[in-house]
């Protein structure tokens, strides 16, 4: 049995919030792990690894730092910049 990593900050309540209506089975399939892992994360019995937190954040479209319980925006903002004239293909 894996020993819980107490060094990793994680917020089970934020995982629940980010999942919305998604089932544990659906998230487990997206992450490639067992449903029991998701259940343990949600109950606080086990902390996910940093890599798993990153993967969860990608699957759930949230900021990984927010998922870890930090006081940051829930969603990552992607800045859109206009294409440079140099980006246009020459005909």
């Amino acid at each position: 049995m894996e020993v819980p990593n107490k060094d990793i900050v994680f917020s089970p309540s934020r995982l629940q919030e980010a999942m919305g209506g998604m089932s544990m089975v659906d998230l487990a399939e997206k992450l490639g792990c067992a449903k029991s892992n998701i259940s343990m994360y949600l109950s606080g019995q086990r902390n996910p690894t940093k890599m798993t937190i990153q993967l969860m954040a990608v699957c759930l479209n949230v900021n990984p730092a927010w998922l870890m319980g930090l006081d940051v925006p829930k969603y990552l903002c992607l800045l859109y910049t206009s294409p440079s004239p140099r980006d246009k293909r020459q005909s």
Side-chain angles (χ1 to χ4, degrees):
M1 180 176 204
E2 185 176 322
V3 177
N5 187 341
K6 298 297 181 188
D7 295 332
I8 297 176
V9 177
F10 178 70
S11 175
S13 62
R14 287 196 176 176
L15 174 58
Q16 184 71 56
E17 181 182 335
M19 286 175 66
M22 182 184 290
S23 72
M24 288 188 283
V25 171
D26 289 341
L27 182 57
E29 286 176 359
K30 288 182 179 227
L31 295 174
C33 70
K35 177 189 158 216
S36 60
N37 287 354
I38 304 303
S39 178
M40 287 189 280
Y41 300 151
L42 288 168
S43 68
Q45 292 177 336
R46 182 176 179 182
N47 282 335
T49 64
K50 290 179 183 178
M51 180 59 76
T52 301
I53 292 170
Q54 290 284 344
L55 292 171
M56 283 192 283
V58 169
C59 290
L60 298 169
N61 297 314
V62 296
N63 184 337
W66 177 85
L67 199 53
M68 295 171 73
L70 301 177
D71 188 19
V72 296
K74 181 176 182 178
Y75 302 103
L76 291 174
C77 296
L78 299 177
L79 297 176
Y80 175 78
T81 57
S82 300
S84 166
R86 294 177 293 177
D87 293 338
K88 291 183 181 181
R89 291 185 177 174
Q90 294 180 355
S91 305

